[in-house]
Amino acid sequence: MRQGLLEKVRLGKVLYENPLSGDLDIADFHLEGRAKITFPNGRMRMENELDATQGQKANYVLWCPESFPSDVYIEWDFLPIQEPGLCILFFAAQGRNGEDLFSEALVPRTGEYVQYHHGDIDAFHVSYFRRKELDERAFHTCNLRKSYGFHLVAQGGDPIPDADEVTEPYKISVLKYKNQVAFYINELEIFSFEDDGTTYGPMLNGGKIGFRQLAPLVAEYANLKVYNVEE
């Protein structure tokens, strides 16, 4: 059952589809930082290559190579395997002056978080399955931040149980339409945000999407789809 913003729009054609089921599916993806990526269950499993004691240096981002328009619906399957850690999806990501995210004009990124929220790129990023700090494990939330900057613009409760209680993947989705963003887990709306284009910086339009994980989390991803969105 569609909820919230998703009720008000129509999903158009599929702009991008990837099962994330084997090495060939991510052959042209771009990894920033170091990670072990395998496909033991026909799903993309990501885990840190560097020891988690190295802090931010052990974290990483895996970018899809495609650039997408401003109005999109992004969905994927998510299965947590091992805690602690957290997951992030970056979207509408590009250089602060409109450069392609992989432009040589931008400073190289290596997975350390500050490079993504106070570097030379703009992006939205939603964090979910947050099981890192003690307060995050005691009170599970999903957060939407807007960068440049570290602006927390929306927040909602996370219904996903701990990894040892999960029995099947969850459908995670993000809807970005005009000046609005909504986040869903199994089609349940977790939060929504309406951007005025001023309070937290200029409006963000199209760009790239990327998956980020914090060590030592292990999780699997599958069935990535991106749809065009129409009114």
Side-chain angles (χ1 to χ4, degrees):
M1 178 178 174
R2 292 188 172 189
Q3 297 185 341
L5 181 59
L6 194 52
E7 284 186 296
K8 303 174 184 178
V9 301
R10 185 173 70 86
L11 301 186
K13 67 178 181 179
V14 176
L15 301 174
Y16 182 80
E17 185 171 6
N18 191 325
L20 301 177
S21 61
D23 289 323
L24 291 178
D25 292 332
I26 63 165
D28 54 355
F29 277 46
H30 186 82
L31 178 64
E32 295 172 351
R34 293 170 60 180
K36 292 185 287 186
I37 302 177
T38 57
F39 302 86
N41 302 305
R43 296 185 292 263
M44 181 179 73
R45 176 175 292 190
M46 298 205 301
E47 55 189 304
N48 50 296
E49 181 177 308
L50 300 178
D51 194 280
T53 59
Q54 297 194 37
Q56 283 291 331
K57 292 183 179 179
N59 303 329
Y60 50 90
V61 181
L62 182 67
W63 293 101
C64 176
E66 302 294 322
S67 290
F68 297 104
S70 183
D71 297 339
V72 290
Y73 179 75
I74 308 158
E75 68 176 19
W76 66 98
D77 294 339
F78 169 74
L79 181 69
I81 303 295
Q82 174 185 299
E83 304 174 23
L86 65 79
C87 300
I88 288 177
L89 179 82
F90 288 102
F91 58 103
Q94 61 179 330
R96 300 204 65 205
N97 295 310
E99 302 97 337
D100 183 87
L101 194 68
F102 305 145
S103 169
E104 294 183 357
L106 302 181
V107 176
R109 299 173 298 271
T110 57
E112 296 178 54
Y113 195 28
V114 69
Q115 300 169 348
Y116 300 85
H117 61 73
H118 275 85
D120 51 8
I121 69 171
D122 289 327
F124 279 113
H125 50 292
V126 56
S127 58
Y128 62 99
F129 200 74
R130 299 171 66 244
R131 305 292 196 275
K132 186 173 180 286
E133 306 299 340
L134 181 60
D135 60 337
E136 293 172 349
R137 298 199 298 272
F139 188 69
H140 301 167
T141 64
C142 303
N143 295 342
L144 178 67
R145 294 187 183 272
K146 183 180 178 182
S147 302
Y148 183 82
F150 194 58
H151 306 295
L152 178 62
V153 298
Q155 188 174 59
D158 181 355
I160 299 178
D162 292 339
D164 60 0
E165 297 179 342
V166 173
T167 59
E168 60 185 17
Y170 286 81
K171 180 70 69 179
I172 312 291
S173 51
V174 173
L175 173 60
K176 183 180 181 298
Y177 181 66
K178 295 186 177 179
N179 68 328
Q180 299 178 80
V181 173
F183 178 68
Y184 300 86
I185 297 178
N186 283 2
E187 296 191 342
L188 172 70
E189 186 172 274
I190 305 302
F191 60 68
S192 62
F193 167 62
E194 189 168 329
D195 194 354
D196 63 14
T198 301
T199 305
Y200 305 108
M203 211 75 72
L204 301 186
N205 296 308
K208 288 184 166 60
I209 61 176
F211 296 104
R212 174 178 172 83
Q213 269 188 206
L214 269 64
L217 183 74
V218 180
E220 294 181 351
Y221 304 77
N223 300 320
L224 173 63
K225 291 184 180 180
V226 182
Y227 295 82
N228 186 44
V229 177
E230 303 167 355
E231 193 164 7

